[in-house]
Amino acid sequence: MINYKSIGLRYIAALSLIALFVSIVFAMSSLSQKSGALNAKIINVSGRQRMLSQNITLLALESFYHADKAYHDTASLAPQWSSAPNARAQYLEVINLFERSHSALISGDPDIEPSGQAGSVAYDIYFEEPYLLDQQIKEFIEAARKISADGAYKDKVNTLQRMSLMSHGPLLEALDRVVSRMEEYDIEQLQKMQKMELLFYIGALFILLLEALFIFWPSYKGIKQALLDKQRLEETQTSLDGANTELEQFAYRTSHDLRGPLASAIGVLDLIAKFIKSGETEKALQGIETTKFSLSQLTNLIQDILVLTKAKTYEESLTEVSPTELIIEAMDKLSYMDNFDKVRVIRDLRFTKKLRTQRDRLNLIIENLISNAFKYQNPLSDEPFLRIVTYELDGLFILEVIDNGLGIPLDQEHKIFMMFSRFHPRVSFGSGLGLYMIKKSADLLGGEMEYENTGNGSIFRFYMPIDPPLEVKGAEAHKSL
């Protein structure tokens, strides 16, 4: 029986684990995107610092012109800025941006955005020899501002020369090194994130495997078993319904057929008593013969019921059986029947192997099929015949009993293997259980029975696998009876 509460808890656990992994992967993806975006901004700002250092030097060179050679050595002469509008303001704006960008890379700036990550990653470049980039940038900014301030022309030329040497020498090298270091750091972070994603992917697959083994597979087996149990229960119920219907029919028909001969015998015995009292000996003897006939009918019915009961309840072991030998024995046993000698018997026994099967049930099929052919001969036929054929086809043993007898009426063929079906009661009295027992025995052997109307007689065909799983098929068929 399925423990639905246990299955529900398993599925909740499985879905919770999946949700946890999805959440972790989503968080990692978001973190990776944010980290990547931040690193990109830092790389952009670091690269811009390199460009700004060059621009500051270039603007300083372009922002003032030299006086005539006569004034070059005049220390008190102030430099003259370019006549371009706002040239000096633009120069100072670039210096301010350069300074703020440096501060943003070292300790962060809310307007420029990058945090101090560059300073922590490239700490040795900013604060340690040989680069000392932080110190270089501060010296460069101080020099750049001195250029824009009032002062001696000669001092500013020296300052400009120093700025030019820095922006094309150690400062440029250090700024390039920061950009390279940040690019390397970004690649390292990306590789770490990829490794983490791979580990989580492998972990997720492992978790899914565990869930499949310990949650989904047991649940699947439980549900499958429940469906199989339900199917078996339905099949058992159907079989029981059929068995109950069959039992009711059997009880009714048996009681009716038993009562008929008994009532007839009792009535005839009353007449015999009267005949004896009146001295009518001849009539009394006729009555005795009639009673004997009625009781013989009753005996035959009881015998068939006993055979049917045995067929349903008897569990027979498997033995090596020769169908040919059973057919020969049946012919010898039935040789006492009326008109046996009038029927031309043709034996076409091509199957010479032995079957591992249940001997009594196979013998019941053979004897009943052959005896029916003798019982229900066509009295109008000049040449009645019975042909018995055995052969092998596609791994099946096949037995065919063919005759030109009375056959089965077309409108009664659907009842052919039903209990208490009598098709020719005037020709031969029977219980109507013979073909029913044949069909049930065929089922127990894992085989099938077929009937074919030839228009001039009948073909009864029985076939079964030569190597059937009889233990299984027989048990299942036995349960269905």
Side-chain angles (χ1 to χ4, degrees):
M1 183 177 180
I2 297 179
N3 188 338
Y4 291 99
K5 183 177 180 180
S6 175
I7 292 177
L9 291 175
R10 289 177 182 177
Y11 274 97
I12 289 172
L15 293 175
S16 299
L17 285 173
I18 293 173
L20 176 62
F21 266 85
V22 170
S23 301
I24 292 174
V25 171
F26 176 77
M28 289 180 62
S29 177
S30 299
L31 181 62
S32 176
Q33 290 177 2
K34 290 180 180 179
S35 177
L38 177 61
N39 289 338
K41 287 181 179 180
I42 293 173
I43 291 171
N44 288 336
V45 172
S46 299
R48 188 177 66 190
Q49 287 292 82
R50 182 186 186 281
M51 179 189 68
L52 289 174
S53 68
Q54 304 300 304
N55 286 346
I56 290 171
T57 303
L58 182 61
L59 287 172
L61 289 170
E62 292 178 350
S63 294
F64 61 93
Y65 60 91
H66 300 288
D68 291 338
K69 192 172 186 312
Y71 298 102
H72 283 177
D73 296 328
T74 305
S76 61
L77 185 64
Q80 301 295 318
W81 282 89
S82 170
S83 60
N86 301 321
R88 187 171 183 174
Q90 292 177 1
Y91 175 73
L92 292 174
E93 184 179 350
V94 174
I95 293 174
N96 290 333
L97 178 60
F98 183 73
E99 185 177 21
R100 290 183 60 191
S101 296
H102 175 66
S103 176
L105 292 172
I106 296 298
S107 57
D109 185 286
D111 295 328
I112 299 178
E113 290 186 9
S115 67
Q117 188 170 354
S120 61
V121 173
Y123 180 86
D124 57 332
I125 299 173
Y126 278 101
F127 303 106
E128 296 180 0
E129 293 183 351
Y131 296 106
L132 296 171
L133 178 58
D134 180 64
Q135 181 178 332
Q136 288 191 64
I137 288 175
K138 289 177 180 178
E139 291 177 359
F140 182 81
I141 293 172
E142 182 181 358
R145 291 190 183 282
K146 185 180 291 186
I147 293 293
S148 66
D150 295 334
Y153 180 81
K154 188 175 181 179
D155 291 340
K156 293 186 178 183
V157 170
N158 293 333
T159 301
L160 183 60
Q161 289 177 347
R162 186 159 56 88
M163 285 176 59
S164 180
L165 289 173
M166 291 180 65
S167 64
H168 291 83
L171 178 62
L172 179 63
E173 182 183 354
L175 289 172
D176 285 341
R177 185 59 183 159
V178 170
V179 173
S180 299
R181 179 66 61 84
M182 289 307 305
E183 289 176 343
E184 292 171 359
Y185 175 76
D186 185 54
I187 292 173
E188 290 174 1
Q189 291 295 102
L190 179 61
Q191 289 175 343
K192 286 181 180 179
M193 191 60 65
Q194 288 175 340
K195 288 180 180 178
M196 289 294 293
E197 289 177 350
L198 178 61
L199 289 175
F200 269 92
Y201 175 72
I202 295 173
L205 290 180
F206 181 71
I207 291 295
L208 286 175
L209 178 62
L210 292 179
E211 290 177 351
L213 289 175
F214 297 105
I215 297 176
F216 297 114
W217 178 246
S219 299
Y220 165 76
K221 289 199 300 183
I223 293 171
K224 182 180 179 181
Q225 186 60 47
L227 291 174
L228 288 174
D229 292 342
K230 181 176 180 293
Q231 182 180 354
R232 291 194 187 100
L233 184 61
E234 291 174 349
E235 291 174 354
T236 302
Q237 185 62 47
T238 302
S239 177
L240 287 174
D241 291 342
N244 287 334
T245 302
E246 201 172 77
L247 182 61
E248 291 175 2
Q249 181 184 9
F250 179 78
Y252 172 77
R253 294 298 301 270
T254 301
S255 61
H256 178 272
D257 288 355
L258 287 172
R259 186 178 59 184
L262 287 174
S264 175
I266 293 172
V268 174
L269 287 174
D270 289 337
L271 290 174
I272 291 172
K274 292 179 180 179
F275 291 147
I276 292 174
K277 289 179 180 179
S278 62
E280 298 178 76
T281 307
E282 189 67 28
K283 291 182 179 181
L285 291 174
Q286 291 177 0
I288 291 172
E289 291 299 323
T290 302
T291 303
K292 286 174 60 179
F293 178 74
S294 296
L295 293 177
S296 67
Q297 290 179 343
L298 184 59
T299 301
N300 291 336
L301 175 60
I302 293 173
Q303 181 63 33
D304 285 344
I305 291 173
L306 291 174
V307 173
L308 175 61
T309 302
K310 180 181 178 181
K312 285 188 173 184
T313 59
Y314 176 55
E315 294 190 13
E316 185 181 358
S317 60
L318 304 179
T319 56
E320 296 288 333
V321 180
S322 169
T324 300
E325 292 179 1
L326 292 182
I327 291 170
I328 293 172
E329 291 175 7
M331 293 296 296
D332 291 340
K333 184 177 179 180
L334 300 173
S335 61
Y336 70 90
M337 296 182 70
D338 294 338
N339 301 320
F340 180 86
D341 295 333
K342 294 181 180 180
V343 178
R344 182 167 62 94
V345 178
I346 305 167
R347 300 179 186 178
D348 184 8
L349 309 179
R350 285 171 269 161
F351 187 88
T352 57
K353 301 178 183 178
K354 288 187 176 182
L355 296 173
R356 182 168 176 78
T357 185
Q358 301 176 41
R359 187 184 190 283
D360 290 347
R361 290 195 169 99
L362 180 59
N363 188 58
L364 183 147
I365 293 171
I366 292 173
E367 282 191 3
N368 276 273
L369 289 177
I370 294 176
S371 65
N372 283 346
F374 285 111
K375 287 179 185 178
Y376 301 105
Q377 299 174 35
N378 189 346
L380 301 179
S381 176
D382 296 330
E383 296 183 359
F385 73 87
L386 165 62
R387 184 181 180 192
I388 306 171
V389 185
T390 60
Y391 58 96
E392 178 181 349
L393 180 65
D394 296 332
L396 298 175
F397 162 71
I398 300 177
L399 166 67
E400 291 182 350
V401 176
I402 308 166
D403 63 56
N404 60 345
L406 295 173
I408 307 295
L410 292 176
D411 61 343
Q412 299 292 311
E413 285 185 3
H414 65 285
K415 298 180 180 179
I416 189 168
F417 295 116
M418 294 175 63
M419 191 182 297
F420 297 111
S421 295
R422 300 190 184 100
F423 304 107
H424 305 288
R426 294 184 180 181
V427 176
S428 176
F429 177 83
S431 64
L433 295 174
L435 290 176
Y436 173 80
M437 289 189 292
I438 289 174
K439 180 65 170 66
K440 289 301 179 183
S441 295
D443 292 341
L444 287 166
L445 296 178
E448 291 289 341
M449 280 299 310
E450 291 180 355
Y451 168 75
E452 182 180 340
N453 191 327
T454 63
N456 187 32
S458 304
I459 299 177
F460 283 91
R461 184 178 296 109
F462 165 69
Y463 58 89
M464 62 174 284
I466 294 175
D467 297 311
L470 288 174
E471 293 84 356
V472 176
K473 287 192 175 182
E476 291 180 351
H478 190 272
K479 290 178 182 178
S480 69
L481 289 177

